[in-house]
Amino acid sequence: MSARDRILGRIRAARGAGVSVTDAERATVENFIREKPRGVGPAMPWEIGPRFREQCIKMASTYDEVATRADVPEAVERYLREKALPLTAVAWPEIASLPWAGIKVEGRPARGDDLVGITGVHLAIAETGTLMFLSGAETYAATSLLPETHIAVVPASRIVASMEDAWAQTREEVSDLPRAVNFVSGPSRTADIEGVLQIGAHGPFRVHVIVVAG
Amino acid sequence: MTTPHASGASTPNTGARPHSTISFKDRAHDRLNDAKVQRAMRNFNLAGARARGVLDLENLEDIRTSAAAIRDRSLAMLDVWLERFEREATRRGVTVHWAESHDDINRITVEIAKANGVKKVIKSKSMVSEESHLNAAIEAAGMKVVETDLGEYIVQLAGETPSHIIAPAIHKNRDDVADLFHEHHKTPRNNDPAVLTMEARKFLREHFLSADMGITGGNFLIAETGSLVLVTNEGNGRMTTTMPRIHVAITGIEKVLGTMEDLSCILRLLTRSATGQSISNYITVNTGPKQAGDSDGPEQMHVIIVDAGRARLLGTDMQEALRCIRCGACMNHCPVYQNIGGHAYGWVYPGPIGSVLTPNYIGLEKALDLPHAATLCNQCGVVCPVKIPLPELMRKLREKQTERGLRPWQERTGLRLWSWLAQRPSLYGLATRVAARLGKSVGGAERTIHRLPGKGWTEGRDMPAPQGKTFRELYAERNRK
C-alpha cells in the first residue's frame, strides 16, 4: 500500500466512510464544481471605473487614463520622464507593436537587469485594484516581475467587478488555465524589519496603470 | 557570502526544539525577562491593521460564516477533494507526492533535488517545511538552501526559527538585522530598514536567478483546476515559481478548496485578517510546469501533500482546527502572545492556533503547558476568519490532559483534595474560615500578603489579604438582619 493510499484511507476511516471512494461521493464533488456556488461577499454599490482607479491608488499603484491605444506610447514616455526613469523597456509583443517614438521598446522576455517592463492584462478587478495576468508564449510572466518598474496597459472593457467575476470570465475565454495566473495589486512590499512598511521587496518598486478608454 | 544555517540551533532564543517536551513556562519566563523581545512586542500591532482592514466589510460576520462553511465542506470529504485535485494536477503535468511523516517530506524533496542535479535551492515561505526541518535535510545532502521571504532570510542568517507565521523576524530589531547583513554580506553596516530591504533584494536577486530549484509552501490547493495558490507581498513566491527549473510545493492535506469561487471568498478574509490589506500584492495560481512556447516557468512542478498528524484530527472534536488558513490573527490578538512572542511556544505554530495544533501534531504529553498558555479571553475566537472556536479547543485539550492523568502530581492531588472538601459543605466552610482568619493575620497592617507557599503567583506581585470573614459568613449575617 502506498503512502497515498494510507493517507486517503486514514481520512476515510476518520470520517467513517467505506474503504474506497464511491461514485456518489465523486458525483457530489463534480456537481459542486460544475455549479460553482459563490460564497458570501461584500455589497458592491460602486461603479467599476472609479472604484478601480481608487483601489489602484490605495494599493500604491499610480494611475493614468488615455482615450485610445495609440495614445499609450506618449503616456508611457510622459510617466518615465516624470519619474526620471530610463527610456528603454521590454514588453509583451502586443505592446511592442504600438507606434513607439521616444522610447526604445523591445518585444522580448525580461531578464534580471531590465529596468522597465510593459504588459497588457488579461483582466483587471475593480474591487481591489488588481491586475490579472495569464502566462503564455506572448504574455511573459517575468515582464511584470523582474523590472523595477512595471507599466500595465488596461483596456477599460477588461475591468470586472470582483475576483469571482474574473474567474467566471476567464473560464469562458480559456479552456485550461495557463501555467501561471498572477494577480498583482500594486508594487511589492514587506514589513519584515520592525513592521516598518517598505515598498519594493523582490518584485517591482513601481506599478503604473494606464487605462485605455476606447 | 557565508552559507547560512537553518533552524535547529540550540541557544535559548532560537525557537523550536520539536519532539522533545516543550516547557512553555520556562520559555515564557525567559521572554518576559528579555528586554529586546519586550520592545519588539510593544511595536507589534497587526491587530490594529486588521481592525482597520475589516471596516469595509459591512457583512463581515456573514462572510466569516460562509468561509467557515467552505472550509468545513472541504474537510467533510477531504479525500474526495484531494483525489480530484490530484487528478487535475496530474493531467496538467504536476507530479503529486504524498508524505505521511516529516521524514517523508525531507526524503521526497531531497530525492527530487538529487535526481535533477540541483546545487542551489531557493525557498519561499513554508511553515510545513519548518515542521520537518527541511533546510537542515537539504544542507545535509550537500546542497545550499536560501530563504527568500525577507523575514525568513533574516531568521535563517541568525540560525533561528520564525517567531510568527507571517512576520517571522518580528522578534528582531533593525540593529540585529544590520549586524547580520554586515557580517554575512560583507557590506558597510547600516540600520535603516529601507537600505536593508534593498540590500536583501540585491543579494537575493542573484540567488533567484542562479538557483536550480524553488521550494514553496501552498496557501491552497484547488480541486477544480489542480492549481496551487500562493499569497505573498514581497513577490518572492512568484520569483521562486518562475525562475528556477524545478518547483516543489509542500502543503498539508487540509489546504484543499473546491473552486476558484471558494478561493475568492476566503482571500477577502485571509489578507484582511493577516495584515489588514484588502488583498495581498501577489496572488499566484500555478497549474503545472512550463508549457510549449512559454519563455518562463519551471520545467517540473511537484506538489507534496503532507499528512504528518493532520488526519488524526479529522472526525474528532479537534477537526475545526483544520479549517485554519494561517492568517495569524489569533496570535496577533492574543494577550499572552503579545507579551512573550512566538518562540515561547516551542514549535512551529505559536499563539492560540499553536496551542491547539502543537499538542495534536506532536503529542499532548509533549506540550503540557500549551493548552494552558491562554486566558480563554476569546479574542482569538472572535477574530478567526474561519470561526475556529480556539478557547473551546484549548479547554478540551485541558480536559484530555486531566483524563489521561498527564497533569503534574501536585495539581492532581490539589484538585482531588479540593473536590473532596467541596463536597462537604460544613467542612469547607470551616476550612475557608480558618484560611481567611490566617490570611488576615499574615497580611497584618499592610493587608497584603507578599509571599505564598509554592512558586509563581507572588513572585512578581502581592496578594491582597482576606479581611477576616468569608463570603458565606457575610451572607449568613446579612440574612439574619
Side-chain angles (χ1 to χ4, degrees):
Chain A
M1 208 189 223
S2 64
R4 172 192 187 275
D5 294 343
R6 280 192 298 271
I7 292 172
L8 293 178
R10 264 198 292 279
I11 298 172
R12 292 192 66 77
R15 65 184 188 87
V19 177
S20 25
V21 180
T22 64
D23 289 345
E25 287 174 332
R26 285 206 182 94
T28 305
V29 161
E30 293 305 323
N31 283 339
F32 182 87
I33 289 174
R34 202 171 316 116
E35 283 162 22
K36 305 174 181 47
R38 292 188 181 192
V40 177
M44 299 188 185
W46 29 258
E47 275 181 64
I48 283 182
R51 169 80 181 194
F52 179 64
R53 178 179 194 276
E54 170 199 304
Q55 292 297 311
C56 280
I57 292 164
K58 186 182 158 199
M59 293 305 293
S61 296
T62 49
Y63 182 95
D64 195 4
E65 279 172 16
V66 295
T68 69
R69 227 172 139 71
D71 300 323
V72 168
E74 198 193 317
V76 170
E77 186 178 342
R78 193 168 58 234
Y79 169 78
L80 293 176
R81 285 188 188 280
E82 209 174 90
K83 302 276 176 190
L85 293 167
L87 299 177
T88 312
V90 291
W92 289 358
E94 66 168 79
I95 299 292
S97 64
L98 292 173
W100 297 97
I103 311 169
K104 188 181 161 229
V105 175
E106 287 182 72
R108 60 163 174 82
R111 293 187 297 251
D113 53 353
D114 290 315
L115 293 174
V116 179
I118 314 176
T119 68
V121 292
H122 168 61
L123 290 167
I125 299 170
E127 183 190 351
T128 46
T130 300
L131 309 168
M132 181 184 189
F133 303 100
L134 306 189
S135 68
E138 306 233 300
T139 53
Y140 326 122
T143 314
S144 60
L145 178 64
L146 291 176
E148 290 178 4
T149 303
H150 169 211
I151 301 172
V153 179
V154 181
S157 61
R158 301 297 295 173
I159 310 175
V160 298
S162 65
M163 188 179 278
E164 284 91 337
D165 289 350
W167 285 119
Q169 187 159 337
T170 301
R171 286 193 195 100
E172 282 174 22
E173 296 173 352
V174 181
S175 59
D176 258 341
L177 288 182
R179 176 192 75 79
V181 178
N182 279 297
F183 294 92
V184 175
S185 310
S188 106
R189 65 179 70 197
T190 183
D192 273 350
I193 302 175
E194 291 191 7
V196 183
L197 180 67
Q198 302 296 334
I199 297 286
H202 297 304
F205 302 160
R206 289 168 286 268
V207 174
H208 184 58
V209 175
I210 302 176
V211 171
V212 182
Chain B
M1 186 182 150
T2 319
T3 304
H5 288 281
S7 49
S10 57
T11 47
N13 260 324
T14 58
R17 292 180 300 180
H19 301 268
S20 60
T21 303
I22 296 166
S23 173
F24 174 81
K25 265 191 198 164
D26 294 344
R27 301 173 73 90
H29 187 265
D30 293 346
R31 270 74 192 179
L32 283 170
N33 290 308
D34 184 331
K36 220 156 75 181
V37 171
Q38 290 302 308
R39 242 190 333 271
M41 295 319 294
R42 272 198 296 280
N43 284 334
F44 175 72
N45 189 12
L46 284 173
R50 184 245 176 215
R52 289 186 294 278
V54 297
L55 284 177
D56 67 341
L57 297 181
E58 279 180 30
N59 53 344
L60 173 64
E61 287 313 303
D62 295 340
I63 301 177
R64 285 176 73 221
T65 305
S66 180
I70 286 171
R71 293 297 296 130
D72 280 347
R73 180 165 26 73
S74 291
L75 297 175
M77 288 174 74
L78 191 57
D79 54 305
V80 192
W81 292 109
L82 284 170
E83 193 195 69
R84 177 59 150 83
F85 166 82
E86 182 189 38
R87 193 164 76 244
E88 274 306 297
T90 306
R91 183 175 74 78
R92 294 302 307 276
V94 176
T95 311
V96 178
H97 308 259
W98 300 79
E100 290 188 272
S101 64
H102 292 134
D103 286 345
D104 282 357
I105 300 171
N106 296 352
R107 179 181 50 77
I108 294 167
T109 310
V110 168
E111 276 172 13
I112 296 169
K114 280 189 171 163
N116 289 285
V118 167
K119 291 190 180 65
K120 190 196 283 184
V121 178
I122 48 167
K123 270 182 82 201
S124 179
K125 257 182 87 61
S126 160
M127 296 313 289
V128 181
S129 77
E130 298 286 341
E131 291 181 29
S132 72
H133 288 249
L134 178 61
N135 289 3
I138 293 172
E139 284 172 351
M143 288 167 262
K144 186 182 173 75
V145 56
V146 185
E147 293 282 354
T148 62
D149 173 272
L150 178 56
E152 295 276 354
Y153 179 62
I154 292 166
V155 162
Q156 187 189 25
L157 290 182
E160 298 182 6
T161 57
S163 66
H164 187 287
I165 61 171
I166 65 157
I170 198 67
H171 60 289
K172 293 264 172 229
N173 63 38
R174 62 185 72 193
D175 288 311
D176 297 333
V177 181
D179 290 341
L180 283 169
F181 281 17
H182 174 61
E183 180 195 339
H184 290 271
H185 296 161
K186 317 282 180 224
T187 48
R189 190 181 183 285
N190 187 313
N191 74 350
D192 178 351
V195 174
L196 292 167
T197 303
M198 281 312 103
E199 189 173 317
R201 174 186 170 104
K202 187 173 141 253
F203 275 80
L204 288 171
R205 181 59 73 100
E206 287 168 26
H207 290 305
F208 281 126
L209 298 175
S210 61
D212 316 285
M213 183 161 122
I215 295 177
T216 67
N219 289 84
F220 302 103
L221 301 173
I222 309 295
E224 175 193 356
T225 52
S227 307
L228 170 86
V229 182
L230 296 174
V231 181
T232 77
N233 276 319
E234 296 184 3
N236 58 321
R238 281 190 73 187
M239 286 285 200
T240 307
T241 58
T242 307
M243 309 316 293
R245 61 191 162 88
I246 298 160
H247 171 205
V248 178
I250 306 170
T251 196
I253 51 172
E254 79 281 18
K255 293 301 184 71
V256 69
L257 294 176
T259 61
M260 294 302 180
E261 279 68 13
D262 288 352
L263 173 70
S264 307
C265 175
I266 296 244
L267 282 176
R268 281 192 189 93
L269 293 183
L270 171 59
T271 59
R272 282 180 177 82
S273 304
T275 58
Q277 291 167 284
S278 48
I279 191 167
S280 286
N281 293 86
Y282 302 107
I283 313 285
T284 304
V285 179
N286 288 124
T287 314
K290 191 174 185 168
Q291 296 171 1
D294 280 359
S295 60
D296 42 33
E299 290 153 20
Q300 294 175 30
M301 179 175 172
H302 300 262
V303 174
I304 305 178
I305 302 177
V306 179
D307 178 352
R310 287 160 172 78
R312 267 207 304 272
L313 277 66
L314 287 167
T316 73
D317 53 3
M318 292 289 136
Q319 176 167 320
E320 285 154 314
L322 293 178
R323 285 182 195 156
C324 179
I325 55 173
R326 304 287 191 268
C327 67
C330 60
M331 55 203 80
N332 299 342
H333 289 77
C334 176
V336 177
Y337 180 92
Q338 284 167 359
N339 277 290
I340 56 177
H343 284 157
Y345 293 81
W347 202 55
V348 180
Y349 305 101
I353 190 66
S355 294
V356 172
L357 290 182
T358 304
N360 275 300
Y361 286 0
I362 73 170
L364 196 56
E365 66 289 346
K366 287 179 180 155
L368 283 180
D369 297 337
L370 286 187
H372 300 262
T375 62
L376 304 188
C377 72
N378 197 31
Q379 283 252 55
C380 52
V382 170
V383 296
C384 175
V386 287
K387 292 194 165 178
I388 301 171
L390 286 156
E392 177 69 15
L393 297 183
M394 284 185 270
R395 206 175 48 72
K396 282 178 187 162
L397 286 171
R398 295 179 187 187
E399 283 172 17
K400 287 180 211 292
Q401 289 186 345
T402 307
E403 281 162 12
R404 286 176 49 187
L406 289 172
R407 300 304 305 158
W409 69 266
Q410 298 95 326
E411 184 183 307
R412 276 184 285 142
T413 315
L415 282 175
R416 213 172 289 136
L417 212 63
W418 180 82
S419 120
W420 181 84
L421 195 62
Q423 290 171 58
R424 288 160 180 79
S426 52
L427 199 57
Y428 186 85
L430 179 67
T432 50
R433 274 202 301 283
V434 170
R437 304 290 192 281
L438 207 63
K440 186 181 182 185
S441 78
V442 172
E446 277 185 279
R447 298 184 165 195
T448 302
I449 299 173
H450 296 298
R451 276 211 69 142
L452 281 175
K455 251 174 78 106
W457 282 101
T458 47
E459 274 183 2
R461 73 205 120 176
D462 292 333
M463 180 171 145
Q467 290 314 297
K469 283 186 179 167
T470 66
F471 171 79
R472 296 206 321 181
E473 284 178 285
L474 294 171
Y475 187 76
E477 269 175 31
R478 211 180 64 177
N479 278 355
R480 274 198 298 275
K481 275 175 196 166

